[in-house]
Amino acid sequence: FIPTGDPPHKKNQKITDSYHRLSMVDIAIDNNNNFSLSDIEINREGYSYTVETIKRLLALYNTTTELYFITGTDAFMEIQTWKNYEELFKMARIVVATRLGYNDIMLNKKIQSFEKKYKAKIIKLPTPILEISSSDIRERIKNEKSIRYLVTEGVQEYIYKNRLYI
């Protein structure tokens, strides 16, 4: 798991301090030995670009390592706005976790287009219908609504202890 460092697409938005985001991911995955946390983006200078992170991971783990980049449908549908997005298709398999509210026909067309044009390896991953988003969680906290079952108990405690999103 790699929390985003300084995302260029959120230049004019207030984002939660990287220390807190890193801490919450650490708490969320703590009980699963199959998961690990990387601060590779948090510790870099300047904006975080996915293509640069993937390059750094390949350099760290060697170029024969097969990487899978997991992203949501919403982000994938905007991938053409990302820095050097075409390079991502050469360096990693893209896994698109589907979400409710997105046009499956449009998603399939985009996947097919990238597979044909860039020889991209894209996996469409249907996910359970759990409509959980970070913006919804922040909004719920702001409006004093429960976030129970939307985040782990440890993350919920951390958010309230550090008075995040209030």
Side-chain angles (χ1 to χ4, degrees), residues 104-117:
D104 206 43
I105 294 169
M106 295 297 291
L107 174 61
N108 289 338
K109 282 183 181 179
K110 185 163 265 202
I111 289 172
Q112 290 168 358
S113 169
F114 288 153
E115 288 175 335
K116 184 177 179 182
K117 186 173 183 178

Side-chain angles (χ1 to χ4, degrees), residues 79-152:
I79 202 167
Q80 288 165 289
T81 66
W82 297 10
K83 179 181 179 180
N84 301 334
Y85 73 95
E86 307 93 337
E87 290 183 47
L88 288 174
F89 300 131
K90 297 173 191 166
M91 297 185 296
R93 288 184 184 258
I94 309 298
V95 179
V96 183
T98 61
R99 294 177 76 167
L100 272 179
Y102 281 90
N103 184 323
D104 206 43
I105 294 169
M106 295 297 291
L107 174 61
N108 289 338
K109 282 183 181 179
K110 185 163 265 202
I111 289 172
Q112 290 168 358
S113 169
F114 288 153
E115 288 175 335
K116 184 177 179 182
K117 186 173 183 178
Y118 302 110
K119 307 261 188 285
K121 297 174 184 169
I122 302 170
I123 300 165
K124 188 171 148 186
L125 179 67
T127 55
I129 301 175
L130 294 174
E131 282 302 301
I132 300 172
S133 72
S134 57
S135 54
D136 179 50
I137 290 167
R138 290 189 298 271
E139 191 66 25
R140 292 180 72 79
I141 292 167
K142 185 178 171 184
N143 293 318
E144 299 180 359
K145 292 183 177 179
S146 174
I147 59 168
R148 189 174 188 189
Y149 307 119
L150 299 176
V151 297
T152 66

Side-chain angles (χ1 to χ4, degrees), residues 2-19:
I2 305 173
T4 302
D6 189 3
H9 63 284
K10 294 191 176 185
K11 289 177 186 173
N12 299 318
Q13 297 176 32
K14 182 183 178 214
I15 61 171
T16 304
D17 184 85
S18 60
Y19 169 80

Side-chain angles (χ1 to χ4, degrees), residues 52-68:
E52 292 173 6
T53 300
I54 298 294
K55 283 179 185 176
R56 290 179 73 204
L57 289 171
L58 286 171
L60 282 172
Y61 296 107
N62 80 47
T63 55
T64 60
T65 300
E66 189 169 23
L67 295 181
Y68 289 77

